[in-house]
Amino acid sequence: MSKIIPYNVYLIVAFILLNGLSVQAQTSKYISEVEYNTINKKWLNPQNIQLLPYINVNNIFLYNKSFKIYKGSLNGNLRFSLLNQLSRDEINKYDVNDYKIRFNPNELYYQKSFNNFTLGIGRKRIKWGVGYVASPTDIVSNPPSPTDPSDRLFQIKGSDLFQASYIGSKSQYDIYLMPKTNVNDLYFNNHSAAFRYFTNVHSFDISLVGRIDLDGKYQAGFNQTAAIGEKLELHSDAILSSKSNVLYPSDFNTKKGLYYRILAGANWSPNQNYNVVLEYFHISEGYSGNEWILLQNTIQSLEAMRAVENLAPTATSTMKKIYTSNVFPLRRDFMFARLLRNNLFKNTELEWITFACINDLGSLNRLGIYYKFQSRFNLYFQYQFLLNTDKSSFNLYGFDNTWRLGIKISF
């Protein structure tokens, strides 16, 4: 069983003990999901040496509550989860059964507003980016992944921060002081500060954002959205970073230099039954064509070493290290597309998602069917699969096919 971080438990207990205070809002959700995977055993995972699970069973309870306290509000988003996993060790020929219990506050913060100011402290999720997925300017809290844009299992946590905001008639200023904690270290490994200036000019919403830490590492960028009539919205998002976490072959170390990410997209709703999202990503720190070939050659060499008895342990260990250190996606140019069809049948939605690499034409695709009944119950089915993966970066994705069946209950 996984370890529980003690201070998370203290925060949750303190939050529950405040139940006697005046409640502003309260909601709860329960999710139960069964997932079956066909394992991708190519390249870095021959014989499933990474022990990827072929069955996942998730049970999640999400508790949201807001209290009035000291002329402000205490807000909590607590996530309780039990994950059961079944993997197959194909080398030693046995199944591995594992389970993990997590108690985490995705959000837990106090906030007080007066005049045009808002002050806050705690763990809070901040959404700055304007893209549907993977927005480059989401530099305070993580954006949703292209492979799970709805964050269906509520896995995205807020950041630990101190907030000071000023809201004017057409502009807003935000400053966040962010200490070094285990949830603030995705890109920055030291105490840092983030800022945003937001304004509205006619039909344009524009933001300038930045973040810097005590080591001098920084990010700076902008985003904008523009409404074209009532049916079309255009958006763009860009960030410049002083460092990248991508590891490059053949020594698998980072590189020094400036890197940037750009997103441009559109959100179109021709009528109430359809919604279409298209987005283009460019990731400058992604592998070039030569670096991608070098990675493939390195993997082929490791595969040959595994055929030699005295070299096999070293090769297997190196494959595991490369697999766990990869920052997916690895290439430079991608397209994301989402089609949503409401009211396909009564209370039924159909969703199609494609995340494709322009550089090598590989893609991850997902079909989703969602059925709502009795207002509180949502039943869903998802089928996810890869296409055209030969020599594609998607060959490093762990699963060829995934089937999911789940139910979400709102209280």
Side-chain angles (χ1 to χ4, degrees), residues 381-399:
F381 167 79
Q382 293 180 349
Y383 171 55
Q384 184 171 290
F385 58 98
L386 304 178
L387 287 177
N388 198 30
T389 58
D390 186 35
K391 297 186 178 180
S392 163
S393 55
F394 284 93
N395 240 333
L396 296 176
Y397 192 74
F399 309 106

Side-chain angles (χ1 to χ4, degrees), residues 290-302:
N290 289 335
E291 288 165 341
W292 182 242
I293 291 172
L294 182 57
L295 175 64
Q296 293 178 75
N297 292 339
T298 301
I299 293 172
Q300 289 174 0
S301 297
L302 291 170

Side-chain angles (χ1 to χ4, degrees), residues 109-110 118-124 126 140 159-165 174-181 184 191-195:
Y109 63 93
Y110 173 76
T118 296
L119 301 178
I121 183 172
R123 179 172 297 177
K124 185 178 182 181
I126 305 299
V140 175
S159 298
D160 299 330
L161 50 82
F162 303 90
Q163 173 189 359
S165 298
D174 301 298
I175 296 176
Y176 296 98
L177 302 180
M178 304 173 64
K180 180 182 178 181
T181 66
N184 288 350
H191 307 301
S192 63
F195 67 88

Side-chain angles (χ1 to χ4, degrees), residues 40-47 49 295-309 311-312 314-316 318-319 322 395-396:
N40 181 355
K41 300 174 186 176
K42 304 170 187 174
W43 289 16
L44 292 175
N45 193 35
Q47 295 180 284
I49 61 173
L295 175 64
Q296 293 178 75
N297 292 339
T298 301
I299 293 172
Q300 289 174 0
S301 297
L302 291 170
E303 289 175 344
M305 289 174 61
R306 290 189 77 247
V308 181
E309 185 175 356
L311 299 178
T314 300
T316 298
T318 303
M319 282 182 163
I322 295 173
N395 240 333
L396 296 176

Side-chain angles (χ1 to χ4, degrees), residues 15 18-19 21-24 65-69 72-74:
F15 185 76
L18 293 172
N19 266 325
L21 298 176
S22 177
V23 177
Q24 288 182 312
K65 202 164 188 176
S66 178
F67 304 100
K68 290 181 180 179
I69 180 172
S73 62
L74 178 64

